[in-house]
Amino acid sequence: MTDSFVQVALDVPLHREFAYRLSTGSVRPGERVLVPFGPRRLSGIVLAVTADAGDFAGKVRDVLAVPGDMPALPAEVLALCRFVADYYHHPLGEVLAAAIPVVFRGTAAFVAPEPDCHFSAPDLPALLASLSPRAHAQRAVAELLAGSPGQAELRARHPQALRWVRTWQAAGLVTASLTPVPAASLLVGAQPELNDEQQQAVTALCDARGFAAFLLFGITGSGKTEVYLRAIAAQLAAGRQVLVLVPEINLTPQLEGRFRARFPATTIASLHSGLSDRQRALNWLAAANGEAGIVLGTRLSVFTPVPQLGLIIIDEEHDPSYKQQEGVRYSARDVAVYRARKAGVPVVLGSATPSLETWQNAVTRRYTLLTLRRRAIAGAGLPSIRLLPVKKIRSADGLHPLAQEAIQRALSAGQQALIFINRRGYAPVLACTECGWMASCRHCAARLVLHLNERRLRCHHCGYEEAITPVCPDCGNHDLQAVGHGTQRLEDIVASQFPQARVLRIDRDSTRRKGELDAALQQVHEGEADILVGTQMLAKGHDFARLSCVVVLNADTSLYSMDFRAEERLFALLTQVAGRAGRHGQGGEVLIQTLFEDHPFYAQLLDGDYARLAQRLLAERQQLRLPPAVAWAMLRAEAPQAERVAAFLAAARACFPLLRGLTVHEPVAASMTRRAGQERMQVLIAADTRAVLHAALHAAMPQIDALPASQIRWILDVDPLEV
C-alpha cells in the first residue's frame, strides 16, 4: 500500500503547516490527528491529503493516531479559519485550535457519552393511531412520551422501549431534545402581538434570500428579541439552523430561557465559558451534527460548524466584548458577517446604539436599516432622564439628595431601583491625608483598589493583591482614607440610608462562583431585592419588570479619556443602563450625577438622538483620520526593560514598505505603561484603505517574525479597540 502524506496545522506560533506520513488508514481534511512535534505529541487539524511530502521528503515523521472523536471540520469552517488567520495575520494552527472545544486540543481521545435525550411526540394521537390496538406494550411506551421521558425512564418501562422510540423518531413521529420538553405544550410558545415596526422587520428578515446584512436599530425595550424569535421560527420551520451570538456569558442563560420557552421541542446548543469542557464539547457536537436547531453562544461560537445554517444573529453588536483581546485578536461580529456572506445567508446585527462602523455601513446602504422607535409593551415609554449637578451640592456619601428622593419614591410605589457605578470594590484609592501617598500596584502603572470586606488591596489589571496597610509607608500617618466609591462601599451606604430596603450587589466579586449570578438575577425577578447596586453586568440585556428608577454615578470620567471611542461607548453604556427602567409600562426615571452638566455630550444623550450623535462623531473621525474613516493596526510589545521594547519596535517599524496612503508612526508608550512587571509600548500603522494596510502587513510581518526578540513579547492587533 502506498503511503499518503498529510499537511497538518498545529497549535504553535509558527506561520506554516507541517507534513506527516500516514502509513495506515485514511483521513479527510478537517479531521483531528495526533503527531510528533520535537519531543512532544500534539493534536493538529489536517488541511490536505497528498500523494507526496513535497519539500519535506526524507525527513517526514509518521502520524501517531487518528482519534476519530471529532467530526471533520467542514470545508467552510476551514475556509473561515484561513480568512481569520490571513486577515488578523495570526498562525492558522492557533486559529484552528481556538475554533474547537478544549477537549479536542489535547492528545487524549474524547469519549462522548450517549446523550441522555428526552423524547416527545408533537402529535401523540397520530402516533397512537399508527400503532396496532393489540400492541399494548408499545402503546404504553407511546403514552409515556406525553411526559418527555429520558432514556433511563424508557428502559425502565420496557427493554425494547428505546428501540421503538428510535423507530418512531426515524418516521418523524417523535422528536428528541437534550432537555425535557415542558409537559404543558409541545407546540411553539405563546407569541405576543407585533406592532407595525416589528412586523416590517420580521417580514424583511423572512423574505431575505441569500446573503443580506440587516441592522436592527431599536430603542431599549422595543422588542428586538421578539423579532429574532420570529425570524428563528421561520428558519426552524424550513429545517435550517440558526447561530445566535451574544456579547457576554451573563446574557446567555436569560436568552436561552426565552428560546426554550418559545421552542420547547427544539434542541438548543449553548456555548460559553461558563460550561464545563465536557458539556461544551457535547453541545458543540450537537451543533456540528445538525441536531441543534439553535446554536447560542459568545464570540468563539462564530467558528462552530453549523451544517444547515440559515441565519446569523448578533445581539448587542456594538459591544466591545465581541473583540478578542488575547491570542487570536479577532472581532466575532466582523467574522460573523464574513461567514454569512460566504454561506449566502442573512445576518442581523441588533443594537440600540450601533457601533460607528455598523452605522456607517447602514447609512451607506451596505446594510439594510430596520428601525424600532417605540417600546414593544403598550403604554411603556422611554424613561425620563435628568442630570443631577453635584459640583455645588453636598451629596450624602456620594448620593445626590434628589437621587435619594427618587429611590424612596420607587420603593414607596413597590418598585425597584438600580444604582449603577462602573467600579467594583469598596473604593478606587486608599490614600494618606498627610503626604498624599496612594496605594499603587508594584507591577502595573495603576492604583490598588480597596476591597474592605476581604481586608485586601487588589489590582484589577494583573491580579496582584496585598493586605491593607495600617499606616502610611511614606510618612507613618495612621489616618488613611478610602477615596471615591466602589460597589461595596455604595452597598453599605445604601443599606444605612434605606434600612428597610433589601439591597443586592451584583458585580464580578459577588458572582464569582458558579451559579451565583443566576441566583442573584432570580432574586431580582422574584421581587426579593428592592435596591440593586451593580456594574456593567446589569447594564444590558436584562428585563426587570419592577425596575422604575436608575441612578448613575461617576459617568464623567469617560468624557475626558484618551480613548477616542470613549464618547461613543459612554453613550451606549448610559443608554443601556437607562433602558432597564420602566420597560413594563410603570414609568421610569433615570438620574445621572455629573460635574459637567453643560458638556454637549449630555445634551445629545437627553435628546436620545443616536443618529445625530453618530453623524457628528463620523464627521469628526473623518476630519481627524480616525477609524472607521481609516484602517488601523497596532503593533504592541512588552519586556521587563523599556529599552528593549523601544529597540524592537524601531526595528519592526523599519520593516514596513513605503506605500502611498500608509503611515507607520513612531513607537510610543502604551496607555498603561507597565502591566504585570512588563514595560509596554506600541506602534500605530494607519492606512487610507484596508487593502493598503494588509499589503503593508503582508510585506512586513515575515521580516518582523525574523527579528531577534529575546525576552520580548509582541502581538499585532488589526482593527484595535484599545489604543
Side-chain angles (χ1 to χ4, degrees):
M1 179 179 176
T2 305
D3 291 343
S4 58
F5 298 86
V6 291
Q7 299 294 326
V8 180
L10 297 176
D11 185 12
V12 294
L14 298 171
H15 291 269
R16 53 165 292 193
E17 302 160 5
F18 300 87
Y20 291 91
R21 181 187 295 107
L22 185 67
S23 301
T24 59
S26 62
V27 295
R28 294 178 295 156
E31 213 165 341
R32 184 168 96 96
V33 293
L34 303 182
V35 297
F37 188 78
R40 297 181 291 164
R41 289 164 52 102
L42 294 181
S43 173
I45 301 296
V46 174
L47 300 176
V49 182
T50 60
D52 61 76
D55 296 337
F56 297 94
K59 50 183 178 180
V60 177
R61 302 170 74 178
D62 289 333
V63 171
L64 298 176
V66 183
D69 54 354
M70 184 188 92
L73 294 176
E76 57 269 22
V77 173
L78 289 176
L80 182 69
C81 290
R82 284 189 184 277
F83 163 76
V84 170
D86 184 66
Y87 185 88
Y88 294 100
H89 300 267
H90 203 89
L92 176 59
E94 292 187 340
V95 175
L96 284 164
I100 61 177
V102 171
V103 298
F104 299 128
R105 302 176 199 171
T107 55
F110 176 66
V111 180
E114 184 179 355
D116 186 17
C117 292
H118 293 261
F119 298 91
S120 55
D123 190 347
L124 185 57
L127 172 59
L128 292 171
S130 70
L131 303 176
S132 167
R134 291 181 293 180
H136 301 295
Q138 291 190 28
R139 295 181 73 85
V141 169
E143 289 171 352
L144 193 64
L145 296 177
S148 188
Q151 296 176 29
E153 189 177 350
L154 288 170
R155 290 193 186 98
R157 176 58 62 94
H158 194 281
Q160 299 296 317
L162 197 56
R163 183 172 66 83
W164 295 336
V165 170
R166 293 291 190 191
T167 301
W168 300 335
Q169 183 183 7
L173 296 169
V174 167
T175 60
S177 172
L178 296 179
T179 56
V181 176
S185 174
L186 292 174
L187 302 176
V188 171
Q191 300 183 11
E193 186 176 347
L194 299 179
N195 60 38
D196 293 343
E197 291 177 333
Q198 288 177 304
Q199 185 59 62
Q200 290 171 10
V202 170
T203 301
L205 298 181
C206 293
D207 289 348
R209 297 294 179 267
F211 171 73
F214 297 90
L215 169 57
L216 184 60
F217 173 45
I219 64 171
T220 54
S222 59
K224 292 186 288 295
T225 302
E226 183 60 33
V227 173
Y228 299 156
L229 291 169
R230 299 296 179 97
I232 290 170
Q235 295 294 330
L236 295 178
R240 292 187 284 267
Q241 295 170 278
V242 179
L243 174 61
V244 183
L245 300 182
V246 294
E248 294 184 15
I249 180 177
N250 63 338
L251 298 182
T252 309
Q254 176 176 297
L255 203 54
E256 184 178 355
R258 291 195 63 176
F259 286 172
R260 291 197 187 283
R262 181 64 64 87
F263 308 114
T266 298
T267 299
I268 299 173
S270 186
L271 299 168
H272 54 78
S273 59
L275 301 172
S276 67
D277 291 343
R278 176 180 175 276
Q279 187 57 54
R280 185 161 187 165
L282 293 176
N283 290 358
W284 186 89
L285 289 170
N289 294 331
E291 298 170 11
I294 301 172
V295 182
L296 170 65
T298 48
R299 58 177 174 257
L300 266 179
S301 308
V302 73
F303 296 106
T304 305
V306 185
Q308 302 299 324
L309 183 63
L311 173 68
I312 297 178
I313 295 171
I314 310 167
D315 191 31
E316 306 292 358
E317 67 82 27
H318 66 277
D319 199 294
S321 299
Y322 282 122
K323 180 68 187 286
Q324 173 74 21
Q325 298 295 349
E326 296 178 353
V328 190
R329 285 166 165 76
Y330 67 96
S331 165
R333 178 198 65 202
D334 298 345
V335 173
V337 173
Y338 177 87
R339 181 174 186 176
R341 183 186 299 277
K342 289 299 181 181
V345 301
V347 58
V348 186
L349 298 89
S351 177
T353 53
S355 65
L356 287 189
E357 289 81 2
T358 298
W359 185 258
Q360 184 179 53
N361 283 328
V363 297
T364 57
R365 300 192 177 181
R366 292 185 64 191
Y367 295 174
T368 300
L369 179 62
L370 305 174
T371 304
L372 306 179
R373 298 177 180 84
R374 62 181 188 271
R375 288 195 153 176
I377 295 179
L382 287 174
S384 62
I385 301 179
R386 277 196 298 160
L387 302 180
L388 299 182
V390 295
K391 188 180 300 182
K392 298 179 182 179
I393 300 291
R394 181 179 178 84
S395 57
D397 288 319
L399 278 179
H400 192 288
L402 293 180
Q404 297 178 60
E405 293 176 11
I407 293 170
Q408 187 58 60
R409 281 197 301 274
L411 298 180
S412 299
Q415 304 293 332
Q416 294 169 321
L418 164 63
I419 304 175
F420 174 85
I421 181 170
N422 206 23
R423 184 181 293 277
R424 56 194 173 96
Y426 187 81
V429 177
L430 181 66
C432 174
T433 57
E434 285 293 325
C435 69
W437 168 88
M438 294 183 181
S440 299
C441 179
R442 297 180 183 179
H443 310 291
C444 302
R447 305 294 184 196
L448 292 174
V449 177
L450 173 62
H451 288 253
L452 194 60
N453 294 348
E454 298 95 333
R455 306 293 301 169
R456 306 292 288 175
L457 293 166
R458 187 174 298 147
C459 178
H460 288 179
H461 299 282
C462 72
Y464 169 79
E465 61 179 67
E466 62 184 42
I468 298 174
T469 177
V471 298
C472 175
D474 285 357
C475 69
N477 176 35
H478 285 261
D479 188 16
L480 301 182
Q481 295 291 328
V483 180
H485 294 80
T487 49
Q488 290 180 9
R489 186 176 191 180
L490 202 55
E491 179 185 23
D492 292 345
I493 292 170
V494 172
S496 65
Q497 292 180 349
F498 301 94
Q500 304 304 317
R502 295 164 295 180
V503 181
L504 178 64
R505 173 169 58 91
I506 300 181
D507 58 19
R508 197 182 304 171
D509 296 319
S510 68
T511 59
R512 191 172 297 169
R513 289 188 290 271
K514 186 174 182 179
E516 286 183 325
L517 176 60
D518 290 342
L521 294 176
Q522 189 66 24
Q523 282 184 259
V524 180
H525 289 299
E526 293 181 357
E528 297 175 0
D530 301 312
I531 302 176
L532 315 180
V533 176
T535 59
Q536 283 195 60
M537 295 180 70
L538 289 175
K540 48 202 170 188
H542 301 292
D543 189 355
F544 302 132
R546 295 175 55 229
L547 184 64
S548 65
C549 175
V550 173
V551 178
V552 180
L553 277 63
N554 290 5
D556 293 336
T557 52
S558 295
L559 294 177
Y560 298 96
S561 168
M562 293 184 296
D563 185 358
F564 68 89
R565 291 188 176 90
E567 198 171 338
E568 172 190 356
R569 290 176 175 174
L570 181 60
F571 191 99
L573 178 61
L574 293 181
T575 300
Q576 291 290 337
V577 174
R580 299 314 102 205
R583 295 170 68 94
H584 288 257
Q586 75 273 43
E589 59 179 328
V590 178
L591 302 104
I592 302 173
Q593 298 189 180
T594 176
L595 288 166
F596 309 104
E597 65 273 14
D598 295 327
H599 194 287
F601 167 83
Y602 284 120
Q604 291 181 319
L605 177 69
L606 295 178
D607 287 344
D609 191 348
Y610 173 82
R612 192 170 59 154
L613 173 78
Q615 182 180 9
R616 174 174 67 82
L617 292 178
L618 283 172
E620 290 177 0
R621 304 275 181 91
Q622 183 70 45
Q623 184 178 8
L624 299 173
R625 291 184 53 76
L626 297 170
V630 295
W632 273 14
M634 194 77 77
L635 186 64
R636 309 182 196 271
E638 59 182 36
Q641 299 84 25
E643 297 78 10
R644 284 180 178 269
V645 183
F648 172 81
L649 288 180
R653 182 172 180 265
C655 296
F656 284 89
L658 298 175
L659 297 178
R660 181 184 295 274
L662 178 73
T663 304
V664 183
H665 293 263
E666 295 280 352
V668 297
S671 56
M672 178 172 285
T673 56
R674 188 176 72 259
R675 181 172 181 174
Q678 300 289 306
E679 301 295 331
R680 308 165 75 230
M681 299 183 72
Q682 59 197 30
V683 167
L684 172 63
I685 305 107
D688 290 345
T689 65
R690 280 190 169 81
V692 171
L693 177 67
H694 286 285
L697 292 174
H698 280 298
M701 292 306 292
Q703 300 179 56
I704 297 174
D705 278 326
L707 291 175
S710 176
Q711 292 189 303
I712 302 269
R713 290 190 301 180
W714 64 273
I715 59 97
L716 178 73
D717 191 356
V718 178
D719 300 333
L721 290 186
E722 305 298 329
V723 294

